[in-house]
Amino acid sequence: MKKINICKSCLIIFLLVLDVTASSVEVLKETSNAFKTIAKDALPAVVFIDVEKTVEVESQATHPFFRNDPFFDQFFGRGWRQFDQEPEKRERKQQGQGSGFIISSDGYILTNSHVVDGATRITVTLADDTKYDAKLIGADPKTEVALIKLNDGDNLPIVELGDSDKLEVGEWVLAAGSPFGLSQSVTAGIVSALGRDSTQIAEYGNFIQTDAAINPGNSGGPLLNIYGKVVGINTAIITRSGGNMGVGFAIPINQAVSIKDQLITNGKVSRSVLGIYIQNVNDELAKSFGFENNNGILISDIIADSAAEEAGLQGGDIIIEFEGEPAGKLGSFRNKVAATPPNTKVKLKIFRDGKFSNVNVITRAMDSLTINDVSKEVSDTLNKIGITVTGLDSEEAKALSLKEEDGVLITEVEEGSASWRAGIQPGQVITSVNRQPVSNIEEFSKAIDDSMDNEQVLFLISDGSGSRFVVIKLEK
């Protein structure tokens, strides 16, 4: 029998490999067990939301080409014209679905505003297939947060809320929900990035980016950390295929809780402003102000009689901190101010003339009304022409080189609408209606109301680089 000689070093290496392999398997087992525990604990509180909406559509009508051709009279006889009618408006039911999660034993549920927007009926299905009718408590499209409540329900399973401020890039997270209607689904990934404030998903928000698979139907479901606590609300994806491509976004739960509390207390969300024109600090600006880095927000101007003027802030001040936290870039800072309840004292750390100091400012309510604040007739007219508008705040006006009293901001344009066909886009400002200047929602609403008997309305549109007149046909 041939004797095999194995060197001591080779044997040591072999044993180390075996040990590493065994250790890796144990790590995988622990990870798998953690995921199983999270799913077992959290999924009973994850719900499927089915909504019904009533939408207005046009009935079929004979094309004008056929309507005017005598050939069809000869072929079908003149009686066929009884079916030749102008398009009529009619209502039809439209279904929608999404996800949500129960945060209280009596049936409060957090979800996305676009999941329940316009719903005439909301049905919630729990993990055990029990169905409940639900009502909308409130929604905030500007952050994509909505709160609904089961009409009856008691001793319901809940999921614990975590602290999204403690999230770090690289952490494991799980996305739960009902992708493509497949309820009680869980996917795993990591936190890819934090503080995404330029996603255009919502007007306000610093989104969590994750590669955990999020697909249609996941909207409104929870994003969970490794302790099974909710750190975000799954909201949107960036995709070229219609499905998951590894870039998903979730609303930080701390922001959602703040919105939720206001919806429960007031039924709406109030936001704050300081009354300042601001811009990011780049290297050149930092050098010119004697500032050592570019981490700050530069105040370029102060609005008269504002909270900022009352507090003694000045143009040229650089804001370093907001309530003890770094001010961040413009979008992040704007979100922090807006998320603060009006009439709240906040502490700013500023840099002025080579010195640092603290300034207390009492925030004021943002004076902007939405389409919901106009009359039903005006609202219907705006829906027909395909736009949503809001008041213009100081930062938006500054970005467009306008004054705050220069008009109303277009926030949405419905694809295929008369406004869309006329080239109107979100972010533009309507400064006059039928050659009458409008400086706020009230004046705009009155001008639209005065135009309802006309066949068209004339808008003066500005986008900061120039202005142009646009004619919009009014449907009867």
Side-chain angles (χ1 to χ4, degrees):
M1 186 177 187
K2 188 174 181 181
K3 187 177 181 180
I4 299 175
N5 294 318
I6 301 176
C7 67
K8 288 184 178 180
S9 60
C10 292
L11 181 59
I12 292 171
I13 292 172
F14 177 70
L15 292 174
L16 286 172
V17 169
L18 285 178
D19 185 59
V20 169
T21 302
S23 298
S24 299
V25 171
E26 287 303 314
V27 170
L28 290 174
K29 284 183 178 178
E30 290 178 8
T31 304
S32 178
N33 287 334
F35 287 168
K36 286 192 295 183
T37 300
I38 295 168
K40 182 179 179 181
D41 292 343
L43 283 179
V46 179
V47 302
F48 174 72
I49 299 175
D50 182 59
V51 302
E52 186 177 276
K53 306 177 183 181
T54 301
V55 296
E56 195 175 65
V57 296
E58 287 187 352
S59 62
Q60 294 290 332
T62 309
H63 193 282
F65 171 79
F66 302 108
R67 186 179 300 130
N68 298 325
D69 196 324
F71 167 78
F72 291 94
D73 288 340
Q74 298 173 8
F75 192 81
F76 294 109
R78 297 193 61 85
W80 81 284
R81 289 192 177 274
Q82 64 179 308
F83 305 106
D84 175 32
Q85 303 292 329
E86 293 289 341
E88 291 184 356
K89 299 289 184 181
R90 61 185 179 85
E91 292 184 344
R92 70 176 178 85
K93 303 296 183 181
Q94 185 180 72
Q95 301 295 127
Q97 55 187 221
S99 305
F101 51 97
I102 306 172
I103 59 172
S104 69
S105 60
D106 59 346
Y108 278 102
I109 295 171
L110 277 173
T111 184
N112 283 150
S113 67
H114 74 261
V115 171
V116 294
D117 179 46
T120 54
R121 181 185 60 80
I122 303 174
T123 304
V124 173
T125 305
L126 272 58
D128 61 2
D129 288 332
T130 305
K131 295 183 184 296
Y132 292 90
D133 289 329
K135 60 183 177 181
L136 178 65
I137 301 299
D140 182 43
K142 291 189 176 183
T143 56
E144 265 295 341
V145 176
L147 183 70
I148 63 176
K149 188 179 186 301
L150 303 185
N151 291 343
D152 54 2
D154 188 29
N155 199 28
L156 297 167
I158 66 170
V159 62
E160 191 175 349
L161 304 183
D163 185 353
S164 53
D165 289 342
K166 294 182 179 179
L167 269 182
E168 294 185 15
V169 173
E171 281 191 45
W172 278 106
V173 286
L174 276 72
S178 305
F180 301 106
L182 302 171
S183 61
Q184 299 293 291
S185 296
V186 176
T187 57
I190 63 169
V191 175
S192 305
L194 295 167
R196 295 297 196 197
D197 57 10
S198 302
T199 61
Q200 298 184 344
I201 298 170
E203 191 171 339
Y204 296 98
N206 291 297
F207 288 86
I208 302 164
Q209 182 183 329
T210 179
D211 66 351
I214 296 175
N215 286 291
N218 266 120
S219 292
L223 186 71
L224 305 155
N225 63 14
I226 59 171
Y227 304 105
K229 296 181 179 180
V230 181
V231 291
I233 304 178
N234 305 323
T235 302
I237 58 174
I238 290 179
T239 178
R240 293 178 180 174
S241 64
N244 174 64
M245 295 185 70
V247 184
F249 299 97
I251 303 164
I253 194 62
N254 290 11
Q255 177 186 354
V257 167
S258 174
I259 299 298
K260 178 262 297 182
D261 290 343
Q262 291 196 60
L263 291 176
I264 290 176
T265 304
N266 306 316
K268 63 178 183 178
V269 177
S270 298
R271 293 185 169 81
S272 287
V273 290
L274 299 178
I276 55 178
Y277 297 123
I278 57 177
Q279 61 190 99
N280 287 318
V281 178
N282 57 29
D283 292 335
E284 292 76 14
L285 285 171
K287 185 177 180 180
S288 65
F289 281 89
F291 191 50
E292 292 184 355
N293 58 60
N294 58 9
N295 297 320
I297 299 293
L298 175 63
I299 299 177
S300 55
D301 202 358
I302 303 290
I303 295 176
D305 300 321
S306 65
E309 185 182 64
E310 182 180 311
L313 290 172
Q314 301 175 10
D317 290 345
I318 297 176
I319 302 173
I320 311 301
E321 293 181 0
F322 180 90
E323 285 291 274
E325 298 292 332
K329 295 300 182 182
L330 192 148
S332 175
F333 179 76
R334 179 172 176 263
N335 289 334
K336 291 174 183 176
V337 174
T340 304
N343 304 312
T344 299
K345 181 187 288 187
V346 297
K347 183 172 72 173
L348 305 179
K349 183 178 180 180
I350 67 168
F351 178 83
R352 179 192 296 171
D353 298 331
K355 297 178 181 179
F356 294 94
S357 61
N358 293 320
V359 177
N360 291 321
V361 186
I362 298 177
T363 65
R364 295 184 185 175
M366 182 182 293
D367 184 23
S368 61
L369 304 176
T370 66
I371 188 173
N372 297 322
D373 296 297
V374 302
S375 68
K376 183 181 184 303
E377 291 76 14
V378 171
S379 177
D380 289 344
T381 300
L382 296 184
N383 285 331
K384 287 178 181 178
I385 64 179
I387 61 171
T388 303
V389 299
T390 185
L392 193 63
D393 68 32
S394 57
E395 293 168 9
E396 292 160 337
K398 182 68 174 179
L400 294 165
S401 301
L402 298 167
K403 296 179 181 178
E404 205 175 345
E405 63 273 13
D406 269 349
V408 296
L409 179 68
I410 299 169
T411 58
E412 294 180 32
V413 179
E414 182 182 353
E415 186 173 348
S417 67
S419 297
W420 181 81
R421 293 193 298 271
I424 295 176
Q425 299 178 7
Q428 295 178 334
V429 173
I430 300 174
T431 58
S432 82
V433 177
N434 293 331
R435 300 193 180 184
Q436 295 298 315
V438 293
S439 59
N440 52 45
I441 288 288
E442 289 84 357
E443 292 181 3
F444 176 79
S445 177
K446 184 179 184 305
I448 292 294
D449 188 54
D450 292 341
S451 302
M452 288 180 184
D453 293 333
N454 301 335
E455 294 182 354
Q456 61 187 36
V457 60
L458 178 66
F459 289 150
L460 181 60
I461 303 288
S462 176
D463 60 6
S465 61
S467 299
R468 66 187 177 96
F469 284 105
V470 176
V471 175
I472 303 294
K473 297 287 185 181
L474 296 180
E475 297 180 5
K476 298 299 182 181

